[in-house]
Amino acid sequence: MLAGAAGWFGRGTAAHAATPDHDVEPRAASSATRSATARAFRPGGAGPLYWSTYGYENSTNTMIPEHVWKANVDWVADTFRDDGYTMVCTDGWIDNTQRTTKHGYILSQADDWEHDWAWWAKYLERKGLGLGVYYNPLWATNSAVDDPTVTVVGRPDIKVADIVNPGDDFGGLLHWIDTNRDGAKEYVQGYVDYFRRLGAVFFRIDFLAWYENGYDQNEGTVAVAHGREAYVRALEWISEAAGDMQLSLVMPNLFDHGSAERRYGDLIRIDNDASFGSWYNLSGGRETWQPEWSQWNNPFLGFTGFADISGRGQAILDGDPLIIRSFQNDAERQSAISLFTIAGAPIAITDRVDTIKGSANIFKNQEVLALRKAGLVGKPVFHNGHAFEYDGSSRDPERWIGQLPDGRWAVALFNRADGTRARTKSIDFAAALGITGPAAVRDLWRHEDLGSMTHFEVDLKPHTSVLLLVTPRGKAQFQADVGAWAGSARFENTFGGHTGMGYVTGLDTEGSSVGVGISVADAGTHRLKFRVANATGHSSSLTVRTLDPVTGAAHGQATLDVPTTRAWTSWQDRPVALKMAAGTNLVVCGVDDSDHGAVNLDSITVL
């Protein structure tokens, strides 16, 4: 059976429920939810760095053996851990696994593995690595459904068989949970709690589109459609039980521009499967948008199309894992890493100790990794505020910019074209970055200072790129149009902004906001200058908060009052004093219930 996000699932023989060698039984749903303490704040920012079993399983079409897993775990710890790759994650080919706990939860990655999840979580901890688990808590194994002694956690009166429907199966060895059934919530949240308590830090949940509408873009109707209400309900349950465990939502339809997924998940998949890799799967294939999974075919377009919902405190855009050995040369490999870096996406190594050959260093460029450590999430250069699915010229997938908390800029330029002809790519620092005067430029792959300039231009051969660090002189202006937008906040450039490029509008409805990462050397009260516009005919206001970018804890809060002017093109500077912590702060300008009017926000300067 063709799988949407993990290749082809295997087939096997069902096994009876069993007892784990490390007893990590879940609690009942109410207790599990309380212990997990679901967060109202999701940090967003740059995605995790990790190793995935996808490369082995996709190439062999079978579950990874435990000895191969261990050899690669040890290799990752020795080779990549100190560079920030601090997690390993399973991926797919899991329907064959049928041995479960007394509540129907699988004991291990595969039935023939010697050790269970808890054993491996402890082993990884000793190696300085976290455990990522691929599964779907909406699945029930045949073995659990067929065994009348397997009951829902906290509900001894309900068998697992009672929360599934006849004919509502997934691949023959798994059943979908019916969220309308009594006991379904306890089962689903118990599954999430089970993985969280045994030590998983990352939960990769697949085939969500098949649950929601039962439809596959290639095969048509493949499953029972459970509907939007049941799907969103399931996401809410999962989020409630997850606590600090990162939720990766894979193969989602992302209806309503991902409104449900970005509310309840940490990471959302925005492209089709990487399959066997290569430049074609990074940049080629279908160029047009479609309304269901996968809306965009490749990561270049997926990252571009959903760039307006990513950033600190917002969703992490997830491209399918990179298979670095599949690329033709280091130039293509560098382009792939640069794209995922500038988009703030996770980077998952799928090559193994015996297949990566001489390409390990592609993942270890310290200057590139420093961008991720700083929390970089960039955006493609926007030309207007239109939705990308309806106006393909509204954003440029081959030119990306992003600002670091110290005010420096990352710029990535790409040539996606095939053939042999080079193309000229350029960036004007004043128009695109709001930098007045020359700025120092450094090439992060060549590790070379290029001098001081006001714009950059380069001829790029097909499939090549350049990744630059641009350092302006003087006080940094933090541009809102590359910040993290929420609610109705969005890019616009009708009325100019920093040198006419763009600004954020839509700050006129409660819950809308823009967040910008800004670092200061010392804790205390700092004066910030906000460049804003208001032509509503009456005064307007925003609430400004400084937050810890990881926990969301508030450091300071103030009101930004903006008098009205005659025209939206009349920009004004308004000062605000805010308490800030030493280091990086997330400065969020938003509309609370106490605010009024409408404000366009261009930039923020620390005075």
Side-chain angles (χ1 to χ4, degrees), residues 26-40:
R27 291 178 281 255
S30 59
S31 176
T33 303
R34 287 196 301 271
S35 66
T37 314
R39 296 167 296 169

Side-chain angles (χ1 to χ4, degrees), residues 458-515:
V458 64
D459 291 333
L460 293 176
K461 295 179 180 179
H463 303 184
T464 66
S465 62
V466 63
L467 181 61
L468 307 173
L469 183 66
V470 179
T471 305
R473 297 174 180 175
K475 290 185 178 296
Q477 285 189 336
F478 294 90
Q479 304 297 342
D481 62 359
V482 290
W485 314 327
S488 58
R490 62 192 183 278
F491 175 91
E492 191 53 80
N493 58 359
T494 303
F495 302 118
H498 62 275
T499 62
M501 184 55 190
Y503 52 88
V504 173
T505 191
L507 295 172
D508 53 6
T509 58
E510 186 177 345
S512 299
S513 67
V514 55

Side-chain angles (χ1 to χ4, degrees), residues 197-537:
R197 292 183 62 227
L198 62 80
V201 298
F202 186 78
F203 196 8
R204 189 169 172 83
I205 304 171
D206 201 357
F207 289 95
L208 292 172
W210 284 19
Y211 186 81
E212 183 177 15
N213 65 355
Y215 180 81
D216 181 83
Q217 60 188 334
N218 298 311
E219 299 182 50
T221 300
V222 293
V224 173
H226 295 86
R228 180 70 173 177
E229 183 178 350
Y231 171 68
V232 174
R233 181 190 305 128
L235 292 185
E236 183 179 12
W237 291 350
I238 293 167
S239 178
E240 285 178 353
D244 288 336
M245 185 168 59
Q246 273 193 317
L247 294 177
S248 172
L249 305 182
V250 181
M251 206 173 131
N253 283 309
L254 297 174
F255 293 144
D256 189 27
H257 209 50
S259 61
E261 292 83 3
R262 54 188 162 127
R263 179 178 180 183
Y264 295 115
D266 295 293
L267 296 83
I268 57 174
R269 267 282 299 282
I270 47 73
D271 66 331
N272 266 320
D273 291 3
S275 185
F276 294 98
S278 79
W279 182 266
Y280 178 82
N281 284 293
L282 179 76
S283 179
R286 172 173 52 87
E287 292 283 303
T288 56
W289 176 82
Q290 64 183 24
E292 69 285 310
W293 170 262
S294 173
Q295 292 189 18
W296 297 105
N297 181 61
N298 63 61
F300 266 104
L301 297 183
F303 290 144
T304 300
F306 287 102
D308 53 307
I309 65 171
S310 66
R312 293 182 184 272
Q314 304 302 322
I316 298 172
L317 305 182
D318 187 7
D320 209 33
L322 296 171
I323 304 172
I324 216 66
R325 68 180 180 275
S326 70
F327 293 99
Q328 293 295 311
N329 49 52
D330 278 353
E332 288 187 351
R333 296 181 183 100
Q334 290 173 5
S335 293
I337 296 294
S338 293
L339 173 65
F340 277 58
T341 298
I342 196 75
I347 292 181
I349 303 170
T350 62
D351 301 88
R352 308 185 303 276
V353 62
D354 59 330
T355 64
I356 200 166
K357 298 181 179 179
S359 297
N361 284 336
I362 291 290
F363 294 103
K364 295 166 68 69
N365 184 326
Q366 296 304 305
E367 292 194 77
V368 175
L369 290 171
L371 301 179
R372 305 188 66 88
K373 292 177 182 177
L376 173 68
V377 182
K379 296 185 185 299
V381 171
F382 277 60
H383 297 304
N384 58 53
H386 300 168
F388 188 57
E389 55 264 36
Y390 301 116
D391 181 0
S393 66
S394 64
R395 309 171 194 179
D396 190 343
E398 298 187 19
R399 295 197 304 151
W400 284 73
I401 58 177
Q403 194 165 22
L404 302 176
D406 61 6
R408 295 179 298 170
W409 288 83
V411 174
L413 306 176
F414 303 90
N415 180 2
R416 297 175 58 210
D418 300 324
T420 60
R421 184 172 64 88
R423 290 185 175 181
T424 301
K425 297 292 178 177
S426 63
I427 192 90
D428 182 272
F429 296 167
L433 312 180
I435 298 175
T436 58
V441 178
R442 182 171 175 82
D443 187 314
L444 298 185
W445 284 108
R446 294 169 58 187
H447 306 294
E448 179 181 345
D449 291 326
L450 304 182
S452 184
M453 54 191 73
T454 58
H455 72 282
F456 180 85
E457 185 173 288
V458 64
D459 291 333
L460 293 176
K461 295 179 180 179
H463 303 184
T464 66
S465 62
V466 63
L467 181 61
L468 307 173
L469 183 66
V470 179
T471 305
R473 297 174 180 175
K475 290 185 178 296
Q477 285 189 336
F478 294 90
Q479 304 297 342
D481 62 359
V482 290
W485 314 327
S488 58
R490 62 192 183 278
F491 175 91
E492 191 53 80
N493 58 359
T494 303
F495 302 118
H498 62 275
T499 62
M501 184 55 190
Y503 52 88
V504 173
T505 191
L507 295 172
D508 53 6
T509 58
E510 186 177 345
S512 299
S513 67
V514 55
V516 178
I518 299 177
S519 65
V520 293
D522 302 308
T525 299
H526 293 263
R527 286 177 57 80
L528 279 66
K529 179 178 69 177
F530 294 80
R531 184 166 174 78
V532 291
N534 168 27
T536 62

Side-chain angles (χ1 to χ4, degrees), residues 157-206:
D157 57 318
I158 297 177
K159 300 186 292 292
V160 170
D162 295 332
I163 60 173
V164 301
N165 297 316
D168 190 5
D169 69 290
F170 176 81
L173 291 175
L174 296 171
H175 295 262
W176 289 108
I177 300 301
D178 183 348
T179 61
N180 293 305
R181 294 291 190 95
D182 187 23
K185 181 177 183 179
E186 289 89 342
Y187 175 89
V188 171
Q189 292 196 318
Y191 225 142
V192 178
D193 185 55
Y194 168 69
F195 284 126
R196 185 184 64 83
R197 292 183 62 227
L198 62 80
V201 298
F202 186 78
F203 196 8
R204 189 169 172 83
I205 304 171
D206 201 357

